[in-house]
Amino acid sequence: MTLFEAVGGEPTFRKLVDEFYAGVADDPLLRPMYPEEDLGPAADRLALFLMQYWGGPNTYSAQRGHPRLRMRHAPYRIGAAERDAWLLHMRRAVDRLDLPPEIATALWDYLERAAYFMVNAMEDPAGPA
């Protein structure tokens, strides 16, 4: 059984992403990274990606090709502050799913690794403190 199946499939991933973007919508650091007026398209892309990654349908790749996550995020400055804000909202979203601990841990471990992988700015633009 895939993790996609174990968590209940698409409805669970849609809930995860909806909860995540509820936090992003009001986040002054992250919201500017989403140029679309409506967060719906970004939420759909993330849901499709996560569903595919965890063993669900390959709709993401069929629509968008290879994920190329770093390339797709390259136009945005992602430093430690952005990573940590992303993780904060994602942690809240994962916790709201009320998953069995072993599944929640597997999901969180991936999300945390992905967030660290996406960092592309190592220094604060204001300079050292």
Side-chain angles (χ1 to χ4, degrees):
M1 176 181 290
T2 65
L3 188 133
F4 175 79
E5 295 164 329
V7 301
E10 183 171 348
T12 301
F13 282 96
R14 294 284 179 185
K15 181 179 179 186
L16 171 72
V17 170
D18 288 347
E19 294 284 349
F20 169 72
Y21 278 106
V24 170
D26 296 323
D27 189 296
L29 189 61
L30 297 182
R31 184 60 181 97
M33 291 185 186
Y34 298 89
E36 294 156 317
E37 189 69 28
D38 175 17
L39 289 171
D44 192 53
R45 290 188 299 268
L46 179 58
L48 291 174
F49 170 77
L50 290 173
M51 287 187 284
Q52 178 176 305
Y53 181 86
W54 291 104
N58 69 348
T59 309
Y60 180 91
S61 289
Q63 290 179 357
R64 298 183 49 85
H66 188 280
R68 297 186 299 260
L69 294 179
R70 286 190 64 116
M71 182 199 77
R72 292 185 195 276
H73 291 82
Y76 307 101
R77 182 194 181 283
I78 302 172
E82 292 81 5
R83 176 202 64 215
D84 292 348
W86 192 93
L87 285 169
L88 172 72
H89 298 299
M90 193 56 82
R91 178 79 256 175
R92 288 179 182 158
V94 170
D95 289 346
R96 288 192 175 115
L97 294 178
D98 197 30
L99 297 170
E102 64 279 1
I103 293 175
T105 297
L107 179 60
W108 179 250
D109 286 350
Y110 166 75
L111 294 166
E112 190 172 39
R113 283 191 317 272
Y116 275 82
F117 177 73
M118 300 308 294
V119 171
N120 61 20
M122 300 311 277
E123 294 183 29
D124 187 315

